[in-house]
Amino acid sequence: MSSQEIPEENLPAEQDAAHGAVEGAGDPFADPGLPAHKPRIQDIDERAANRSERAVAFMFTLSMLATVGFIASYVIFPVDKIVYIFPFGHVSALNFSLGLTLGVALFAIGAGAVHWARTLMSDVEVADERHAIAAEPEVKAKVLADFAAGAEESAFGRRKLIRNTMFGALALVPLAGVVLLRDLGPLPEKKLRSTLWAKGKQLVNMNTMEPLRPEDVVVGSLTFAMPEGLEEDAHDFQKQIAKAALMIVRIEPDNIKDKREREWAHEGIVAFSKICTHVGCPISLYEQQTHHVLCPCHQSTFDLSDGARVIFGPAGHALPQLRIGVNSEGNLEALGDFEEPVGPAFWERG
């Protein structure tokens, strides 16, 4: 039998003595206790405490100024402005200023809170025994008392300068996020509610770029039109035609089911928006026998003989109709703008 297998009672005397010495040693896992508390300079010198208070207030104020700088940068710098900043090189002035000011705003709040906690809040360590999950009434009372004591020791109520500047910093920082909502795009205002169509605007054939006459539109044909005065090389052509594009078809008046559609037509010639009311795709497929038009994107189908109402697909409402007539020159003209916004529904529509 090896020495490791010798029973404890059979150990030699010198080994038995060593074994007893180990057993008599202190428990290595015993609670060492808390070190003696050493007061900070702010705990014994009110002037030092006031300096720390001013330092924290300065950081919170710096955060507020940085937030204001963030908003100002967003307004001042254009998106395409490039500047040279050492050592970063050529960067976007807008992105650099937004990142810098927002970083300072958030860092200053964090640094102010840390400095406040390390210099002015209580740093006395307290050990508490574990307790059952269901707290006893006296424990609840102790927690409330500890909370009240902590609030008092934090000087939150007494240090009004810190409290007020902290509230100011925390109130201003969210404004940075609100300003970023501007990047969702320009506000539509009333731009989506109107088009270039107005009373007296002639219908221009988009293929020939000539004014449309009633005899140019025959039964079974599908013609696309735009308002006169809109040039293809205009800088906003795509934006304008996206709202003003028309489908022109001629239907026998007896085959028009909707009364208003018949009244707004001219000798069976009807004009409807070409823009699908689902997601705004251009409609281009026309079936003469049924007077149905089909959107090629998601197969929304509209009946042009019945107010262009939706008969199939995901579109939410009928195509808007443009009231038309004939001017003194014998050309087709609009008698006003669409009475409802064209294209997909939008939340400002009301």
Side-chain angles (χ1 to χ4, degrees):
M1 180 180 294
S2 66
S3 60
Q4 293 180 351
E5 298 175 338
I6 298 175
E8 187 176 334
E9 58 270 22
N10 297 333
L11 289 173
E14 59 275 11
Q15 293 185 19
D16 184 61
H19 180 71
V22 172
E23 284 188 337
D27 184 358
F29 299 104
D31 184 1
L34 295 174
H37 176 257
K38 296 180 179 179
R40 301 163 300 189
I41 184 64
Q42 290 85 358
D43 298 329
I44 57 179
D45 187 348
E46 184 62 21
R47 290 181 299 178
N50 290 336
R51 286 196 298 271
S52 294
E53 180 182 11
R54 290 192 294 270
V56 174
F58 169 77
M59 295 178 191
F60 289 155
T61 303
L62 178 62
S63 173
M64 289 188 282
L65 294 176
T67 301
V68 173
F70 178 94
I71 299 173
S73 300
Y74 192 88
V75 174
I76 294 173
F77 294 113
V79 176
D80 56 352
K81 183 176 180 59
I82 304 298
V83 296
Y84 180 81
I85 299 178
F86 180 82
F88 304 105
H90 291 87
V91 297
S92 167
L94 177 62
N95 290 346
F96 184 83
S97 59
L98 291 181
L100 179 63
T101 52
L102 184 59
V104 171
L106 297 177
F107 173 81
I109 288 180
V114 170
H115 190 65
W116 181 10
R118 290 177 64 88
T119 61
L120 294 175
M121 293 185 182
S122 175
D123 66 337
V124 177
E125 296 184 3
V126 178
D128 203 354
E129 297 294 333
R130 292 188 178 182
H131 53 77
I133 295 178
E136 300 294 335
E138 56 272 16
V139 175
K140 295 180 180 179
K142 182 178 181 301
V143 170
L144 294 176
D146 290 344
F147 178 80
E152 178 65 26
E153 293 172 352
S154 69
F156 187 77
R158 183 162 57 91
R159 304 284 181 181
K160 295 182 179 180
L161 182 60
I162 289 180
R163 181 186 62 195
N164 295 338
T165 52
M166 182 191 70
F167 284 158
L170 293 178
L172 282 180
V173 161
L175 291 180
V178 174
V179 171
L180 289 178
L181 294 177
R182 185 67 175 78
D183 273 346
L184 294 178
L187 295 177
E189 298 174 345
K190 295 185 177 181
K191 298 184 183 71
L192 299 180
R193 296 184 180 274
S194 61
T195 70
L196 288 180
W197 291 110
K199 183 176 176 60
K201 284 269 188 178
Q202 295 187 121
L203 278 63
V204 175
N205 190 318
M206 293 186 65
N207 292 324
T208 65
M209 302 304 292
E210 297 292 334
L212 269 173
R213 303 177 65 85
E215 55 268 24
D216 296 334
V217 184
V218 298
V219 175
S221 66
L222 176 64
T223 305
F224 299 130
M226 67 180 187
E228 65 172 327
L230 180 60
E231 302 295 336
E232 290 191 43
D233 58 351
H235 73 281
D236 61 345
F237 176 80
Q238 293 298 333
K239 292 183 179 179
Q240 298 297 340
I241 199 62
K243 296 187 296 180
L246 284 182
M247 292 185 300
I248 311 296
V249 298
R250 184 190 286 268
I251 303 174
E252 294 294 341
D254 293 340
N255 293 333
I256 299 178
K257 306 170 189 176
D258 185 78
K259 179 181 178 181
R260 192 184 77 163
E261 177 182 350
R262 190 183 306 113
E263 294 174 350
W264 285 19
H266 175 75
E267 298 178 355
I269 300 175
V270 295
F272 287 98
S273 170
K274 185 185 176 182
I275 310 305
C276 180
T277 57
H278 177 217
V279 293
C281 292
I283 298 173
S284 58
L285 303 176
Y286 175 59
E287 188 178 55
Q288 174 187 352
Q289 289 77 12
T290 60
H291 309 298
H292 294 170
V293 288
L294 175 70
C295 176
C297 292
H298 305 99
Q299 288 71 56
S300 292
T301 307
F302 306 86
D303 186 354
L304 296 189
S305 67
D306 191 14
R309 65 182 181 88
V310 182
I311 59 176
F312 179 79
H317 54 276
L319 297 172
Q321 183 180 2
L322 185 70
R323 189 172 185 177
I324 60 174
V326 174
N327 61 17
S328 58
E329 299 176 356
N331 298 327
L332 291 173
E333 67 173 3
L335 300 181
D337 197 358
F338 293 102
E339 289 199 349
E340 59 181 301
V342 302
F346 51 95
W347 64 270
E348 299 92 343
R349 197 163 182 165

